[in-house]
Amino acid sequence: DVKVTQSSRYLVKRTGEKVFLECVQDMDHENMFWYRQDPGLGLRLIYFSYDVKMKEKGDIPEGYSVSREKKERFSLILESASTNQTSMYLCASRVPGALYNEQFFGPGTRLTVL
Amino acid sequence: DQQVKQNSPSLSVQEGRISILNCDYTNSMFDYFLWYKKYPAEGPTFLISISSIKDKNEDGRFTVFLNKSAKHLSLHIVPSQPGDSAVYFCAAMGGGSNYKLTFGKGTLLTVNP
């Protein structure tokens, strides 16, 4: 079974803090993704990485950066957290050419920025 | 511009009856479609998918239908069970990217006992 883990289930930070969200997958997947989920807006792609040290902006990259130094780990960084970044953050991974093209998701991190 | 639309924010059905969740898309380059289910405080889990070369795919109680000319797909759940109560997301792939999934906003399905 594919396992995608995220470092925290719940996180509370203050405005202006630097925030690191970590994601680890154990299936040697090349592709990894960061989404945020907000009520009424669905899942929106922030950044993705198609391989180690490769990254590409998604639909809403402003205010975020990412790091992928090792294949199994993909980090999302909020350089200076703001209240509008309060959200559920979801990490996913995928192997290119998979039978169903599916992405496997972690449990999510509920981030609150005060 | 929203390329994948789920126009019903919520749906309520009785246990044992059919649930039909709908999804429309605008990008004719999308060539693969997926449905995910999400419980509160959990990540989405993959349910079923369909390629644009097919018009139907079935897996147990779940069937996805694709109408390419109408740019419409639907997920049928028969019979519906209380454990199916969750948010269902439609997602599309293609349109120039082999990596990216474009998600709809989701439909909350409630199955009443």
Side-chain angles (χ1 to χ4, degrees), chain A residues 9 31 33 35 37 40 43 50 59 94 99-103 105-107, chain B residues 32 34 36 38 41-44 46 49 89 93 98-101 103 105:
Chain A
R9 294 300 302 271
N31 305 158
F33 306 82
Y35 295 87
Q37 183 199 359
L43 275 71
Y50 41 92
D59 298 319
R94 168 182 173 263
L99 180 62
Y100 302 117
N101 283 309
E102 73 271 36
Q103 294 179 13
F105 283 83
Chain B
Y32 204 84
L34 303 89
Y36 278 83
K38 185 181 185 299
E42 293 184 15
F46 169 71
S49 62
F89 290 100
M93 188 169 149
N98 288 329
Y99 306 102
K100 185 180 165 182
L101 287 178
F103 284 85
K105 294 183 178 182

PDB file of all heavy atoms in Angstrom, chain A residues 9 31 33 35 37 40 43 50 59 94 99-103 105-107, chain B residues 32 34 36 38 41-44 46 49 89 93 98-101 103 105:
ATOM      1  N   ARG A   9      -0.852  16.991  11.656  1.00  0.00           N
ATOM      2  CA  ARG A   9      -2.266  17.005  11.293  1.00  0.00           C
ATOM      3  C   ARG A   9      -2.871  18.390  11.531  1.00  0.00           C
ATOM      4  O   ARG A   9      -3.709  18.846  10.758  1.00  0.00           O
ATOM      5  CB  ARG A   9      -3.047  15.969  12.107  1.00  0.00           C
ATOM      6  CG  ARG A   9      -2.670  14.533  11.814  1.00  0.00           C
ATOM      7  CD  ARG A   9      -2.900  14.154  10.361  1.00  0.00           C
ATOM      8  NE  ARG A   9      -4.260  14.335   9.921  1.00  0.00           N
ATOM      9  CZ  ARG A   9      -5.209  13.403  10.013  1.00  0.00           C
ATOM     10  NH1 ARG A   9      -4.943  12.235  10.542  1.00  0.00           N
ATOM     11  NH2 ARG A   9      -6.431  13.638   9.561  1.00  0.00           N
ATOM     12  N   ASN A  31       6.555  11.834  -9.055  1.00  0.00           N
ATOM     13  CA  ASN A  31       5.789  13.076  -9.004  1.00  0.00           C
ATOM     14  C   ASN A  31       5.214  13.312  -7.610  1.00  0.00           C
ATOM     15  O   ASN A  31       4.683  12.403  -6.983  1.00  0.00           O
ATOM     16  CB  ASN A  31       4.604  13.033  -9.976  1.00  0.00           C
ATOM     17  CG  ASN A  31       4.962  12.722 -11.410  1.00  0.00           C
ATOM     18  OD1 ASN A  31       4.115  12.268 -12.169  1.00  0.00           O
ATOM     19  ND2 ASN A  31       6.205  12.979 -11.803  1.00  0.00           N
ATOM     20  N   PHE A  33       2.983  16.506  -5.224  1.00  0.00           N
ATOM     21  CA  PHE A  33       2.106  17.664  -5.402  1.00  0.00           C
ATOM     22  C   PHE A  33       1.725  18.249  -4.046  1.00  0.00           C
ATOM     23  O   PHE A  33       1.595  17.524  -3.058  1.00  0.00           O
ATOM     24  CB  PHE A  33       0.804  17.242  -6.099  1.00  0.00           C
ATOM     25  CG  PHE A  33       1.002  16.505  -7.396  1.00  0.00           C
ATOM     26  CD1 PHE A  33       1.272  15.140  -7.390  1.00  0.00           C
ATOM     27  CD2 PHE A  33       0.906  17.154  -8.608  1.00  0.00           C
ATOM     28  CE1 PHE A  33       1.460  14.439  -8.577  1.00  0.00           C
ATOM     29  CE2 PHE A  33       1.085  16.476  -9.806  1.00  0.00           C
ATOM     30  CZ  PHE A  33       1.368  15.116  -9.785  1.00  0.00           C
ATOM     31  N   TYR A  35      -1.453  20.685  -2.598  1.00  0.00           N
ATOM     32  CA  TYR A  35      -2.737  21.337  -2.836  1.00  0.00           C
ATOM     33  C   TYR A  35      -3.187  22.031  -1.552  1.00  0.00           C
ATOM     34  O   TYR A  35      -2.770  21.670  -0.462  1.00  0.00           O
ATOM     35  CB  TYR A  35      -3.825  20.306  -3.163  1.00  0.00           C
ATOM     36  CG  TYR A  35      -3.654  19.537  -4.441  1.00  0.00           C
ATOM     37  CD1 TYR A  35      -2.905  18.354  -4.467  1.00  0.00           C
ATOM     38  CD2 TYR A  35      -4.270  19.955  -5.617  1.00  0.00           C
ATOM     39  CE1 TYR A  35      -2.771  17.627  -5.642  1.00  0.00           C
ATOM     40  CE2 TYR A  35      -4.142  19.228  -6.797  1.00  0.00           C
ATOM     41  CZ  TYR A  35      -3.390  18.074  -6.796  1.00  0.00           C
ATOM     42  OH  TYR A  35      -3.260  17.352  -7.959  1.00  0.00           O
ATOM     43  N   GLN A  37      -7.078  22.926   0.183  1.00  0.00           N
ATOM     44  CA  GLN A  37      -8.512  22.721   0.032  1.00  0.00           C
ATOM     45  C   GLN A  37      -9.239  23.724   0.895  1.00  0.00           C
ATOM     46  O   GLN A  37      -9.002  23.812   2.110  1.00  0.00           O
ATOM     47  CB  GLN A  37      -8.917  21.307   0.457  1.00  0.00           C
ATOM     48  CG  GLN A  37     -10.401  21.049   0.231  1.00  0.00           C
ATOM     49  CD  GLN A  37     -10.936  19.894   1.026  1.00  0.00           C
ATOM     50  OE1 GLN A  37     -10.206  19.233   1.770  1.00  0.00           O
ATOM     51  NE2 GLN A  37     -12.212  19.615   0.875  1.00  0.00           N
ATOM     52  N   GLY A  40     -15.920  25.345  -0.710  1.00  0.00           N
ATOM     53  CA  GLY A  40     -16.472  25.985  -1.890  1.00  0.00           C
ATOM     54  C   GLY A  40     -15.487  26.199  -3.026  1.00  0.00           C
ATOM     55  O   GLY A  40     -15.868  26.661  -4.101  1.00  0.00           O
ATOM     56  N   LEU A  43     -10.049  21.528  -4.506  1.00  0.00           N
ATOM     57  CA  LEU A  43      -8.599  21.381  -4.358  1.00  0.00           C
ATOM     58  C   LEU A  43      -7.908  22.232  -5.422  1.00  0.00           C
ATOM     59  O   LEU A  43      -8.204  22.122  -6.610  1.00  0.00           O
ATOM     60  CB  LEU A  43      -8.182  19.917  -4.561  1.00  0.00           C
ATOM     61  CG  LEU A  43      -8.249  18.990  -3.361  1.00  0.00           C
ATOM     62  CD1 LEU A  43      -9.686  18.684  -2.993  1.00  0.00           C
ATOM     63  CD2 LEU A  43      -7.488  17.711  -3.641  1.00  0.00           C
ATOM     64  N   TYR A  50       8.040  17.061 -10.596  1.00  0.00           N
ATOM     65  CA  TYR A  50       7.987  15.818 -11.376  1.00  0.00           C
ATOM     66  C   TYR A  50       9.204  14.928 -11.145  1.00  0.00           C
ATOM     67  O   TYR A  50       9.223  13.786 -11.582  1.00  0.00           O
ATOM     68  CB  TYR A  50       7.741  16.069 -12.858  1.00  0.00           C
ATOM     69  CG  TYR A  50       8.474  17.231 -13.457  1.00  0.00           C
ATOM     70  CD1 TYR A  50       9.715  17.063 -14.052  1.00  0.00           C
ATOM     71  CD2 TYR A  50       7.905  18.489 -13.448  1.00  0.00           C
ATOM     72  CE1 TYR A  50      10.378  18.130 -14.600  1.00  0.00           C
ATOM     73  CE2 TYR A  50       8.563  19.567 -14.011  1.00  0.00           C
ATOM     74  CZ  TYR A  50       9.800  19.385 -14.578  1.00  0.00           C
ATOM     75  OH  TYR A  50      10.457  20.446 -15.123  1.00  0.00           O
ATOM     76  N   ASP A  59      -1.493  26.399  -9.811  1.00  0.00           N
ATOM     77  CA  ASP A  59      -2.443  27.472 -10.092  1.00  0.00           C
ATOM     78  C   ASP A  59      -2.362  28.634  -9.106  1.00  0.00           C
ATOM     79  O   ASP A  59      -2.706  29.764  -9.447  1.00  0.00           O
ATOM     80  CB  ASP A  59      -3.864  26.909 -10.074  1.00  0.00           C
ATOM     81  CG  ASP A  59      -4.063  25.850 -11.154  1.00  0.00           C
ATOM     82  OD1 ASP A  59      -3.562  26.065 -12.282  1.00  0.00           O
ATOM     83  OD2 ASP A  59      -4.686  24.821 -10.867  1.00  0.00           O
ATOM     84  N   ARG A  94       2.568  10.390  -7.102  1.00  0.00           N
ATOM     85  CA  ARG A  94       2.089   9.613  -8.251  1.00  0.00           C
ATOM     86  C   ARG A  94       3.288   9.075  -9.009  1.00  0.00           C
ATOM     87  O   ARG A  94       4.342   9.715  -9.065  1.00  0.00           O
ATOM     88  CB  ARG A  94       1.279  10.542  -9.159  1.00  0.00           C
ATOM     89  CG  ARG A  94       0.930  10.026 -10.520  1.00  0.00           C
ATOM     90  CD  ARG A  94       0.177  11.101 -11.296  1.00  0.00           C
ATOM     91  NE  ARG A  94      -0.021  10.683 -12.677  1.00  0.00           N
ATOM     92  CZ  ARG A  94       0.755  11.053 -13.684  1.00  0.00           C
ATOM     93  NH1 ARG A  94       1.771  11.871 -13.484  1.00  0.00           N
ATOM     94  NH2 ARG A  94       0.511  10.633 -14.901  1.00  0.00           N
ATOM     95  N   LEU A  99      -1.451   2.809 -13.895  1.00  0.00           N
ATOM     96  CA  LEU A  99      -2.598   2.245 -14.608  1.00  0.00           C
ATOM     97  C   LEU A  99      -3.799   3.188 -14.608  1.00  0.00           C
ATOM     98  O   LEU A  99      -4.453   3.377 -15.629  1.00  0.00           O
ATOM     99  CB  LEU A  99      -2.979   0.910 -13.962  1.00  0.00           C
ATOM    100  CG  LEU A  99      -4.167   0.171 -14.574  1.00  0.00           C
ATOM    101  CD1 LEU A  99      -3.872  -0.188 -16.036  1.00  0.00           C
ATOM    102  CD2 LEU A  99      -4.473  -1.087 -13.770  1.00  0.00           C
ATOM    103  N   TYR A 100      -4.088   3.767 -13.456  1.00  0.00           N
ATOM    104  CA  TYR A 100      -5.264   4.621 -13.336  1.00  0.00           C
ATOM    105  C   TYR A 100      -4.904   6.097 -13.267  1.00  0.00           C
ATOM    106  O   TYR A 100      -5.764   6.929 -13.057  1.00  0.00           O
ATOM    107  CB  TYR A 100      -6.089   4.226 -12.115  1.00  0.00           C
ATOM    108  CG  TYR A 100      -6.543   2.787 -12.154  1.00  0.00           C
ATOM    109  CD1 TYR A 100      -6.111   1.883 -11.192  1.00  0.00           C
ATOM    110  CD2 TYR A 100      -7.393   2.338 -13.160  1.00  0.00           C
ATOM    111  CE1 TYR A 100      -6.514   0.568 -11.238  1.00  0.00           C
ATOM    112  CE2 TYR A 100      -7.794   1.021 -13.208  1.00  0.00           C
ATOM    113  CZ  TYR A 100      -7.363   0.141 -12.247  1.00  0.00           C
ATOM    114  OH  TYR A 100      -7.760  -1.162 -12.290  1.00  0.00           O
ATOM    115  N   ASN A 101      -3.639   6.441 -13.421  1.00  0.00           N
ATOM    116  CA  ASN A 101      -3.182   7.839 -13.362  1.00  0.00           C
ATOM    117  C   ASN A 101      -3.520   8.529 -12.043  1.00  0.00           C
ATOM    118  O   ASN A 101      -3.543   9.745 -11.979  1.00  0.00           O
ATOM    119  CB  ASN A 101      -3.798   8.657 -14.508  1.00  0.00           C
ATOM    120  CG  ASN A 101      -3.100   8.381 -15.818  1.00  0.00           C
ATOM    121  OD1 ASN A 101      -1.882   8.442 -15.907  1.00  0.00           O
ATOM    122  ND2 ASN A 101      -3.863   8.062 -16.837  1.00  0.00           N
ATOM    123  N   GLU A 102      -3.778   7.712 -11.012  1.00  0.00           N
ATOM    124  CA  GLU A 102      -4.243   8.353  -9.792  1.00  0.00           C
ATOM    125  C   GLU A 102      -3.092   8.952  -8.990  1.00  0.00           C
ATOM    126  O   GLU A 102      -1.949   8.523  -9.103  1.00  0.00           O
ATOM    127  CB  GLU A 102      -5.014   7.363  -8.907  1.00  0.00           C
ATOM    128  CG  GLU A 102      -4.165   6.333  -8.208  1.00  0.00           C
ATOM    129  CD  GLU A 102      -3.967   5.083  -9.037  1.00  0.00           C
ATOM    130  OE1 GLU A 102      -3.851   5.197 -10.274  1.00  0.00           O
ATOM    131  OE2 GLU A 102      -3.906   3.994  -8.444  1.00  0.00           O
ATOM    132  N   GLN A 103      -3.443   9.951  -8.189  1.00  0.00           N
ATOM    133  CA  GLN A 103      -2.524  10.497  -7.202  1.00  0.00           C
ATOM    134  C   GLN A 103      -2.954   9.962  -5.839  1.00  0.00           C
ATOM    135  O   GLN A 103      -4.144   9.824  -5.560  1.00  0.00           O
ATOM    136  CB  GLN A 103      -2.584  12.033  -7.195  1.00  0.00           C
ATOM    137  CG  GLN A 103      -2.078  12.659  -8.489  1.00  0.00           C
ATOM    138  CD  GLN A 103      -2.160  14.161  -8.488  1.00  0.00           C
ATOM    139  OE1 GLN A 103      -2.378  14.801  -7.459  1.00  0.00           O
ATOM    140  NE2 GLN A 103      -1.975  14.766  -9.644  1.00  0.00           N
ATOM    141  N   PHE A 105      -2.999  10.547  -1.839  1.00  0.00           N
ATOM    142  CA  PHE A 105      -2.975  11.698  -0.956  1.00  0.00           C
ATOM    143  C   PHE A 105      -2.603  11.336   0.475  1.00  0.00           C
ATOM    144  O   PHE A 105      -2.915  10.237   0.964  1.00  0.00           O
ATOM    145  CB  PHE A 105      -4.349  12.376  -0.933  1.00  0.00           C
ATOM    146  CG  PHE A 105      -4.631  13.213  -2.145  1.00  0.00           C
ATOM    147  CD1 PHE A 105      -5.111  12.642  -3.303  1.00  0.00           C
ATOM    148  CD2 PHE A 105      -4.389  14.579  -2.132  1.00  0.00           C
ATOM    149  CE1 PHE A 105      -5.362  13.416  -4.438  1.00  0.00           C
ATOM    150  CE2 PHE A 105      -4.643  15.370  -3.249  1.00  0.00           C
ATOM    151  CZ  PHE A 105      -5.120  14.781  -4.406  1.00  0.00           C
ATOM    152  N   GLY A 106      -1.954  12.288   1.140  1.00  0.00           N
ATOM    153  CA  GLY A 106      -1.736  12.189   2.568  1.00  0.00           C
ATOM    154  C   GLY A 106      -2.975  12.614   3.327  1.00  0.00           C
ATOM    155  O   GLY A 106      -3.970  13.020   2.721  1.00  0.00           O
ATOM    156  N   PRO A 107      -2.926  12.565   4.669  1.00  0.00           N
ATOM    157  CA  PRO A 107      -4.105  12.864   5.481  1.00  0.00           C
ATOM    158  C   PRO A 107      -4.422  14.347   5.594  1.00  0.00           C
ATOM    159  O   PRO A 107      -5.509  14.713   6.033  1.00  0.00           O
ATOM    160  CB  PRO A 107      -3.747  12.283   6.852  1.00  0.00           C
ATOM    161  CG  PRO A 107      -2.262  12.329   6.890  1.00  0.00           C
ATOM    162  CD  PRO A 107      -1.797  12.097   5.499  1.00  0.00           C
TER     163      PRO A 107
ATOM    164  N   TYR B  32      -8.520  12.171 -19.562  1.00  0.00           N
ATOM    165  CA  TYR B  32      -8.620  11.167 -18.509  1.00  0.00           C
ATOM    166  C   TYR B  32      -9.319  11.804 -17.326  1.00  0.00           C
ATOM    167  O   TYR B  32      -9.033  12.947 -16.977  1.00  0.00           O
ATOM    168  CB  TYR B  32      -7.217  10.677 -18.100  1.00  0.00           C
ATOM    169  CG  TYR B  32      -7.221   9.314 -17.486  1.00  0.00           C
ATOM    170  CD1 TYR B  32      -7.201   8.173 -18.269  1.00  0.00           C
ATOM    171  CD2 TYR B  32      -7.258   9.165 -16.102  1.00  0.00           C
ATOM    172  CE1 TYR B  32      -7.225   6.914 -17.709  1.00  0.00           C
ATOM    173  CE2 TYR B  32      -7.271   7.908 -15.531  1.00  0.00           C
ATOM    174  CZ  TYR B  32      -7.251   6.792 -16.336  1.00  0.00           C
ATOM    175  OH  TYR B  32      -7.271   5.535 -15.785  1.00  0.00           O
ATOM    176  N   LEU B  34     -11.068  11.256 -13.296  1.00  0.00           N
ATOM    177  CA  LEU B  34     -11.021  10.471 -12.066  1.00  0.00           C
ATOM    178  C   LEU B  34     -12.062  10.992 -11.085  1.00  0.00           C
ATOM    179  O   LEU B  34     -12.405  12.179 -11.095  1.00  0.00           O
ATOM    180  CB  LEU B  34      -9.642  10.572 -11.398  1.00  0.00           C
ATOM    181  CG  LEU B  34      -8.424  10.154 -12.214  1.00  0.00           C
ATOM    182  CD1 LEU B  34      -7.853  11.330 -13.015  1.00  0.00           C
ATOM    183  CD2 LEU B  34      -7.331   9.613 -11.303  1.00  0.00           C
ATOM    184  N   TYR B  36     -12.679  11.065  -6.866  1.00  0.00           N
ATOM    185  CA  TYR B  36     -12.107  10.857  -5.550  1.00  0.00           C
ATOM    186  C   TYR B  36     -13.205  11.043  -4.517  1.00  0.00           C
ATOM    187  O   TYR B  36     -14.139  11.828  -4.693  1.00  0.00           O
ATOM    188  CB  TYR B  36     -11.006  11.888  -5.266  1.00  0.00           C
ATOM    189  CG  TYR B  36      -9.660  11.564  -5.859  1.00  0.00           C
ATOM    190  CD1 TYR B  36      -9.364  11.864  -7.183  1.00  0.00           C
ATOM    191  CD2 TYR B  36      -8.672  10.955  -5.088  1.00  0.00           C
ATOM    192  CE1 TYR B  36      -8.121  11.567  -7.720  1.00  0.00           C
ATOM    193  CE2 TYR B  36      -7.435  10.654  -5.610  1.00  0.00           C
ATOM    194  CZ  TYR B  36      -7.166  10.966  -6.927  1.00  0.00           C
ATOM    195  OH  TYR B  36      -5.938  10.672  -7.455  1.00  0.00           O
ATOM    196  N   LYS B  38     -13.750  11.933  -0.335  1.00  0.00           N
ATOM    197  CA  LYS B  38     -13.018  12.516   0.796  1.00  0.00           C
ATOM    198  C   LYS B  38     -13.915  12.585   2.029  1.00  0.00           C
ATOM    199  O   LYS B  38     -14.980  13.209   2.006  1.00  0.00           O
ATOM    200  CB  LYS B  38     -12.498  13.917   0.442  1.00  0.00           C
ATOM    201  CG  LYS B  38     -11.620  14.508   1.547  1.00  0.00           C
ATOM    202  CD  LYS B  38     -11.140  15.881   1.203  1.00  0.00           C
ATOM    203  CE  LYS B  38     -10.173  16.403   2.261  1.00  0.00           C
ATOM    204  NZ  LYS B  38     -10.789  16.501   3.593  1.00  0.00           N
ATOM    205  N   ALA B  41     -11.381  15.500   7.567  1.00  0.00           N
ATOM    206  CA  ALA B  41     -10.099  15.318   8.253  1.00  0.00           C
ATOM    207  C   ALA B  41      -9.271  14.161   7.680  1.00  0.00           C
ATOM    208  O   ALA B  41      -8.383  13.637   8.366  1.00  0.00           O
ATOM    209  CB  ALA B  41     -10.300  15.121   9.758  1.00  0.00           C
ATOM    210  N   GLU B  42      -9.570  13.744   6.453  1.00  0.00           N
ATOM    211  CA  GLU B  42      -8.748  12.744   5.770  1.00  0.00           C
ATOM    212  C   GLU B  42      -8.394  13.249   4.386  1.00  0.00           C
ATOM    213  O   GLU B  42      -9.061  14.131   3.843  1.00  0.00           O
ATOM    214  CB  GLU B  42      -9.479  11.410   5.639  1.00  0.00           C
ATOM    215  CG  GLU B  42      -9.728  10.707   6.946  1.00  0.00           C
ATOM    216  CD  GLU B  42     -10.380   9.348   6.730  1.00  0.00           C
ATOM    217  OE1 GLU B  42     -10.373   8.851   5.585  1.00  0.00           O
ATOM    218  OE2 GLU B  42     -10.894   8.788   7.715  1.00  0.00           O
ATOM    219  N   GLY B  43      -7.352  12.660   3.785  1.00  0.00           N
ATOM    220  CA  GLY B  43      -7.037  12.995   2.410  1.00  0.00           C
ATOM    221  C   GLY B  43      -7.992  12.303   1.450  1.00  0.00           C
ATOM    222  O   GLY B  43      -8.617  11.302   1.793  1.00  0.00           O
ATOM    223  N   PRO B  44      -8.130  12.826   0.232  1.00  0.00           N
ATOM    224  CA  PRO B  44      -8.984  12.176  -0.770  1.00  0.00           C
ATOM    225  C   PRO B  44      -8.457  10.792  -1.114  1.00  0.00           C
ATOM    226  O   PRO B  44      -7.241  10.568  -1.125  1.00  0.00           O
ATOM    227  CB  PRO B  44      -8.888  13.102  -1.981  1.00  0.00           C
ATOM    228  CG  PRO B  44      -8.401  14.410  -1.450  1.00  0.00           C
ATOM    229  CD  PRO B  44      -7.552  14.072  -0.277  1.00  0.00           C
ATOM    230  N   PHE B  46      -8.738   7.699  -4.087  1.00  0.00           N
ATOM    231  CA  PHE B  46      -9.131   7.419  -5.464  1.00  0.00           C
ATOM    232  C   PHE B  46     -10.265   6.393  -5.485  1.00  0.00           C
ATOM    233  O   PHE B  46     -10.249   5.399  -4.759  1.00  0.00           O
ATOM    234  CB  PHE B  46      -7.917   6.887  -6.232  1.00  0.00           C
ATOM    235  CG  PHE B  46      -8.240   6.323  -7.578  1.00  0.00           C
ATOM    236  CD1 PHE B  46      -8.620   7.152  -8.620  1.00  0.00           C
ATOM    237  CD2 PHE B  46      -8.180   4.960  -7.804  1.00  0.00           C
ATOM    238  CE1 PHE B  46      -8.925   6.640  -9.862  1.00  0.00           C
ATOM    239  CE2 PHE B  46      -8.474   4.425  -9.044  1.00  0.00           C
ATOM    240  CZ  PHE B  46      -8.850   5.268 -10.076  1.00  0.00           C
ATOM    241  N   SER B  49     -11.822   5.664 -12.368  1.00  0.00           N
ATOM    242  CA  SER B  49     -11.387   6.580 -13.421  1.00  0.00           C
ATOM    243  C   SER B  49     -11.901   6.094 -14.776  1.00  0.00           C
ATOM    244  O   SER B  49     -12.393   4.964 -14.910  1.00  0.00           O
ATOM    245  CB  SER B  49      -9.864   6.685 -13.454  1.00  0.00           C
ATOM    246  OG  SER B  49      -9.283   5.418 -13.743  1.00  0.00           O
ATOM    247  N   PHE B  89     -15.065  14.399  -5.387  1.00  0.00           N
ATOM    248  CA  PHE B  89     -14.413  15.322  -6.311  1.00  0.00           C
ATOM    249  C   PHE B  89     -14.230  14.653  -7.663  1.00  0.00           C
ATOM    250  O   PHE B  89     -13.760  13.522  -7.757  1.00  0.00           O
ATOM    251  CB  PHE B  89     -13.035  15.737  -5.792  1.00  0.00           C
ATOM    252  CG  PHE B  89     -13.067  16.624  -4.578  1.00  0.00           C
ATOM    253  CD1 PHE B  89     -12.848  16.098  -3.318  1.00  0.00           C
ATOM    254  CD2 PHE B  89     -13.302  17.981  -4.708  1.00  0.00           C
ATOM    255  CE1 PHE B  89     -12.866  16.914  -2.195  1.00  0.00           C
ATOM    256  CE2 PHE B  89     -13.321  18.804  -3.599  1.00  0.00           C
ATOM    257  CZ  PHE B  89     -13.106  18.265  -2.339  1.00  0.00           C
ATOM    258  N   MET B  93      -7.541  15.191 -16.353  1.00  0.00           N
ATOM    259  CA  MET B  93      -6.124  15.224 -16.675  1.00  0.00           C
ATOM    260  C   MET B  93      -5.953  15.360 -18.181  1.00  0.00           C
ATOM    261  O   MET B  93      -6.802  14.908 -18.960  1.00  0.00           O
ATOM    262  CB  MET B  93      -5.489  13.931 -16.215  1.00  0.00           C
ATOM    263  CG  MET B  93      -4.003  13.862 -16.299  1.00  0.00           C
ATOM    264  SD  MET B  93      -3.446  12.414 -15.413  1.00  0.00           S
ATOM    265  CE  MET B  93      -2.019  12.024 -16.356  1.00  0.00           C
ATOM    266  N   ASN B  98       0.748  16.091 -18.500  1.00  0.00           N
ATOM    267  CA  ASN B  98       0.608  14.693 -18.083  1.00  0.00           C
ATOM    268  C   ASN B  98       0.741  14.534 -16.585  1.00  0.00           C
ATOM    269  O   ASN B  98       0.769  13.411 -16.082  1.00  0.00           O
ATOM    270  CB  ASN B  98       1.675  13.839 -18.774  1.00  0.00           C
ATOM    271  CG  ASN B  98       1.388  13.668 -20.248  1.00  0.00           C
ATOM    272  OD1 ASN B  98       0.235  13.647 -20.651  1.00  0.00           O
ATOM    273  ND2 ASN B  98       2.423  13.588 -21.046  1.00  0.00           N
ATOM    274  N   TYR B  99       0.872  15.641 -15.878  1.00  0.00           N
ATOM    275  CA  TYR B  99       1.071  15.554 -14.433  1.00  0.00           C
ATOM    276  C   TYR B  99      -0.140  16.054 -13.660  1.00  0.00           C
ATOM    277  O   TYR B  99      -0.506  15.514 -12.639  1.00  0.00           O
ATOM    278  CB  TYR B  99       2.258  16.430 -14.018  1.00  0.00           C
ATOM    279  CG  TYR B  99       3.529  16.146 -14.745  1.00  0.00           C
ATOM    280  CD1 TYR B  99       3.960  16.965 -15.777  1.00  0.00           C
ATOM    281  CD2 TYR B  99       4.330  15.071 -14.392  1.00  0.00           C
ATOM    282  CE1 TYR B  99       5.151  16.711 -16.437  1.00  0.00           C
ATOM    283  CE2 TYR B  99       5.514  14.811 -15.043  1.00  0.00           C
ATOM    284  CZ  TYR B  99       5.920  15.636 -16.065  1.00  0.00           C
ATOM    285  OH  TYR B  99       7.096  15.383 -16.724  1.00  0.00           O
ATOM    286  N   LYS B 100      -0.712  17.100 -14.167  1.00  0.00           N
ATOM    287  CA  LYS B 100      -1.622  17.887 -13.354  1.00  0.00           C
ATOM    288  C   LYS B 100      -3.052  17.356 -13.407  1.00  0.00           C
ATOM    289  O   LYS B 100      -3.555  17.001 -14.473  1.00  0.00           O
ATOM    290  CB  LYS B 100      -1.578  19.323 -13.885  1.00  0.00           C
ATOM    291  CG  LYS B 100      -2.352  20.319 -13.102  1.00  0.00           C
ATOM    292  CD  LYS B 100      -2.218  21.695 -13.754  1.00  0.00           C
ATOM    293  CE  LYS B 100      -3.258  22.623 -13.213  1.00  0.00           C
ATOM    294  NZ  LYS B 100      -3.206  23.937 -13.850  1.00  0.00           N
ATOM    295  N   LEU B 101      -3.677  17.296 -12.243  1.00  0.00           N
ATOM    296  CA  LEU B 101      -5.111  17.045 -12.153  1.00  0.00           C
ATOM    297  C   LEU B 101      -5.816  18.365 -11.873  1.00  0.00           C
ATOM    298  O   LEU B 101      -5.387  19.118 -11.012  1.00  0.00           O
ATOM    299  CB  LEU B 101      -5.433  16.070 -11.021  1.00  0.00           C
ATOM    300  CG  LEU B 101      -5.071  14.600 -11.216  1.00  0.00           C
ATOM    301  CD1 LEU B 101      -5.423  13.801  -9.973  1.00  0.00           C
ATOM    302  CD2 LEU B 101      -5.776  14.031 -12.432  1.00  0.00           C
ATOM    303  N   PHE B 103      -9.243  19.781 -10.459  1.00  0.00           N
ATOM    304  CA  PHE B 103     -10.356  19.294  -9.653  1.00  0.00           C
ATOM    305  C   PHE B 103     -11.570  20.214  -9.742  1.00  0.00           C
ATOM    306  O   PHE B 103     -11.440  21.431  -9.877  1.00  0.00           O
ATOM    307  CB  PHE B 103      -9.939  19.202  -8.182  1.00  0.00           C
ATOM    308  CG  PHE B 103      -9.065  18.027  -7.865  1.00  0.00           C
ATOM    309  CD1 PHE B 103      -7.696  18.088  -8.046  1.00  0.00           C
ATOM    310  CD2 PHE B 103      -9.619  16.853  -7.374  1.00  0.00           C
ATOM    311  CE1 PHE B 103      -6.881  17.003  -7.746  1.00  0.00           C
ATOM    312  CE2 PHE B 103      -8.814  15.766  -7.069  1.00  0.00           C
ATOM    313  CZ  PHE B 103      -7.453  15.839  -7.254  1.00  0.00           C
ATOM    314  N   LYS B 105     -15.097  21.492  -7.564  1.00  0.00           N
ATOM    315  CA  LYS B 105     -15.232  21.988  -6.202  1.00  0.00           C
ATOM    316  C   LYS B 105     -15.804  20.953  -5.240  1.00  0.00           C
ATOM    317  O   LYS B 105     -15.786  21.160  -4.028  1.00  0.00           O
ATOM    318  CB  LYS B 105     -16.111  23.231  -6.185  1.00  0.00           C
ATOM    319  CG  LYS B 105     -15.481  24.413  -6.905  1.00  0.00           C
ATOM    320  CD  LYS B 105     -16.337  25.651  -6.802  1.00  0.00           C
ATOM    321  CE  LYS B 105     -15.649  26.823  -7.500  1.00  0.00           C
ATOM    322  NZ  LYS B 105     -16.434  28.067  -7.391  1.00  0.00           N
TER     323      LYS B 105
END
